[in-house]
Structure formats: C-alpha cells, structure tokens
Amino acid sequence: MYGQQHEQTPQRHSTHEGLVGGAILIGLGIAILTQHFFSFVGFGFPWQLFIIGPGMLLFGLMVLGGRSASGLAIPASIVTTIGMLLLFQGVFDYFESWAYAWALLPTAGGVGTLIAGLWGGNWQMVEAGKRAARGG
C-alpha cells in the first residue's frame, strides 16, 4: 500500500476560467484608469462604479456558468446600462437626461435577451432580443 503510486489524472481547465480572469483584469484596469482620469479632472472616485461592477460581475458569472447561466445576461445588461447612464449623468451633471434616457432600459433588456440567446444557443430568444432592442 505504501509502495503503490497513485496515478493522478490531469485537471482540465475550462476556457471559461481564462475568460473570467481576463474580464476581471480588464474590469480592474478600467476602474483604475477611471479613478485616475476622474481624480485628474477633480471628481474623485465615481460611485457609479458600484453599480457598473455588479453588472459586470453578473456577466462574469454568466460566462462562468456556461450555457445554463445565459439568463444572467438580461439583468447584467440592465444593471450595467443603469450604471453607465448614471456615470454619464454624474460626469456631465446632466441628470435632466432621465426624461428620455429611461428608454434605454428596454433596449438594454433586449440586448441582454439577445446575448442570453446567443450564449445559450436559443435562436428564438435571439430574435426576441432583436425585436425588444429595436422597440426600445
């Protein structure tokens, strides 16, 4: 028993792990660049990244979860869009844009549905996402 050697099976790493790691590094890079840019302009760290971050995290979880997690693209798209809108409004002090910017939210839902359909291989969902994005 002590003299026996156990064969170890090589661990397989999915391609999703590399994608998620890359997405996390890109997100951190964007956050750091954004902080430096806004600190240079005099705004400080934008609080809107606390909304954009969870949206991007949902996209990462979708990639990590594979085809079965494709539905996460819908809330990820909506949350990320809201964060980007708030970031734009905060930077340019243009909060009046909510009068028409709200129309981007159904578009974001459509884009999320389109991404979910593409990721999950559901072509009916892709078509529904296209229609919803056009309607928004």
Side-chain angles (χ1 to χ4, degrees):
M1 186 158 158
Y2 291 103
Q4 296 176 350
Q5 291 185 359
H6 297 283
E7 290 185 30
Q8 292 182 347
T9 57
Q11 292 181 347
R12 295 183 191 173
H13 295 285
S14 71
T15 57
H16 299 301
E17 291 174 1
L19 290 174
V20 171
I24 289 171
L25 288 175
I26 289 171
L28 285 172
I30 289 171
I32 290 168
L33 285 174
T34 303
Q35 179 192 14
H36 286 296
F37 172 73
F38 287 111
S39 293
F40 177 77
V41 176
F43 289 112
F45 191 75
W47 59 268
Q48 295 88 345
L49 291 179
F50 290 108
I51 298 171
I52 296 170
M56 298 305 290
L57 178 67
L58 286 171
F59 274 122
L61 291 173
M62 178 198 76
V63 170
L64 202 88
R67 290 186 182 272
S68 64
S70 64
L72 289 174
I74 300 167
S77 179
I78 294 170
V79 170
T80 304
T81 299
I82 290 171
M84 301 282 279
L85 283 170
L86 290 171
L87 181 63
F88 170 82
Q89 292 171 339
V91 167
F92 295 104
D93 195 29
Y94 190 57
F95 291 97
E96 306 84 42
S97 66
W98 270 121
Y100 53 87
W102 64 268
L104 291 174
L105 298 180
T107 304
V111 170
T113 304
L114 175 74
I115 293 169
L118 288 171
W119 187 256
N122 184 342
W123 303 114
Q124 292 175 339
M125 196 176 221
V126 170
E127 291 302 317
K130 286 179 185 179
R131 285 191 306 275
R134 271 184 256 146

